[in-house]
Amino acid sequence: VSTQSTWEAVVSTQSTWEAVVSTQSTWEAVVSTQSTWEAVVSTQSTWGRSQPGLAMLRTVLLAAAVASASAFAPMAGFGRTATKARTAAVSQLKMQGDFSDAVPFLKRPINLDGEYAGDVGFDPLGFSDVFDLRVLREAELKHGRFAMLAVLGFLVEEKYTLPFFPKMAPVDAHDYFVQQGGGSQIIFWISFVEIFGVVALFETLQGKREPGDFAFDPLGLAKDEATLERYRLAEIKHSRLAMIAIGGFIHQYWVTKQTVFEQLANVKSLS
């Protein structure tokens, strides 16, 4: 009985010692947390006087400090709350710190998340913050396809003229046929095509089709998903290039009175 009492006393002493060690560790952790917090507060005060523009960075640091301190807190629920706050703060900083690939000194618009092919974060005027991105992509593809046809027609018109039509530069041909009544025919047929375009756009907004997808692949080029994505990227790149090119063709002729091939063969100075 005496031995048992002694053993119980030893066990009690060991438990007491472990409690003391645990208390000491907890106290050291609290003191360390307090020192860290005071350092953060001191840094925040210094930054607040010197660089007021770093408000977002101060917020992230404060959230991180709170999250670190929560590891030593006795309350079970506080740690999860602080971790969520820290994650949200870091995510917000990452989102706001992501710069555009197209314009490296501008922030990437929040809605341009790379979902569509050819998305390089180019939206300096902020259209993606006002309009539905699906509508913008539908319009871009439509204008790009018309521009590619226009570029092809512009170049062919320089070298070949259909029978019963006078030979003239493409820009002059446009003005000539508008005066002859061709403008009304163009408006009619474009309006006819737009009827199907409006129906397709509503289907896009309802989630039934991808923007610009009319399932038009008579040659069966898109054999698999990877090939389809590659062709989507190629199409949007060619569309953007064609929209710039047709504008350049027309303005070049207005300034120099030379067609594209004439300009390439005999460059005429603007001066």
Side-chain angles (χ1 to χ4, degrees):
V1 173
S2 176
T3 303
Q4 182 178 4
S5 300
T6 304
W7 177 252
E8 290 176 352
V10 170
V11 171
S12 177
T13 302
Q14 181 179 6
S15 301
T16 304
W17 175 253
E18 290 177 351
V20 170
V21 172
S22 176
T23 303
Q24 181 180 6
S25 300
T26 303
W27 175 252
E28 291 176 353
V30 171
V31 171
S32 175
T33 303
Q34 182 179 6
S35 300
T36 304
W37 179 255
E38 291 175 351
V40 171
V41 172
S42 176
T43 305
Q44 181 189 12
S45 301
T46 303
W47 284 2
R49 293 192 300 269
S50 60
Q51 299 184 28
L54 299 178
M56 176 57 68
L57 189 56
R58 293 202 305 269
T59 303
V60 174
L61 290 176
L62 288 175
V66 172
S68 300
S70 67
F72 306 100
M75 296 171 55
F78 182 68
R80 292 192 294 268
T81 304
T83 302
K84 291 181 180 179
R86 180 181 60 182
T87 303
V90 172
S91 301
Q92 185 178 11
L93 180 63
K94 182 179 180 182
M95 177 186 67
Q96 294 188 1
D98 188 13
F99 286 88
S100 169
D101 294 335
V103 189
F105 55 86
L106 293 180
K107 295 294 184 65
R108 170 183 285 271
I110 188 174
N111 292 324
L112 298 183
D113 54 1
E115 177 183 0
Y116 294 119
D119 180 3
V120 292
F122 182 78
D123 185 20
L125 300 181
F127 288 118
S128 60
D129 297 331
V130 180
F131 302 101
D132 193 311
L133 199 60
R134 295 169 294 182
V135 176
L136 296 178
R137 175 46 63 99
E138 184 85 24
E140 184 179 25
L141 286 172
K142 181 184 297 182
H143 286 83
R145 290 163 180 170
F146 276 118
M148 287 188 284
L149 292 174
V151 167
L152 178 62
F154 205 98
L155 298 176
V156 171
E157 173 64 21
E158 290 190 35
K159 296 299 182 181
Y160 177 77
T161 303
L162 294 173
F164 310 109
F165 290 95
K167 176 67 176 179
M168 59 183 65
V171 176
D172 295 335
H174 169 271
D175 298 338
Y176 172 80
F177 285 109
V178 168
Q179 294 174 359
Q180 299 297 320
S184 59
Q185 298 181 31
I186 295 175
I187 294 176
F188 172 78
W189 288 110
I190 289 180
S191 301
F192 179 76
V193 173
E194 280 296 326
I195 295 176
F196 299 96
V198 171
V199 175
L201 181 59
F202 276 112
E203 291 182 350
T204 299
L205 296 177
Q206 293 172 358
K208 298 180 180 179
R209 65 184 283 272
E210 289 293 321
D213 185 5
F214 290 93
F216 181 78
D217 186 17
L219 300 180
L221 299 177
K223 300 178 181 180
D224 50 55
E225 189 64 26
T227 305
L228 179 60
E229 288 300 320
R230 182 164 60 88
Y231 278 116
R232 283 175 175 170
L233 180 59
E235 181 184 32
I236 196 64
K237 286 185 175 180
H238 287 84
S239 296
R240 292 165 178 170
L241 180 61
M243 286 187 283
I244 296 174
I246 191 62
F249 290 172
I250 295 172
H251 287 82
Q252 170 189 280
Y253 183 79
W254 285 344
V255 174
T256 65
K257 297 301 178 184
Q258 288 182 308
T259 59
V260 176
F261 291 116
E262 291 175 349
Q263 180 77 3
L264 292 175
N266 184 20
V267 179
K268 183 178 180 181
S269 177
L270 297 178
S271 59

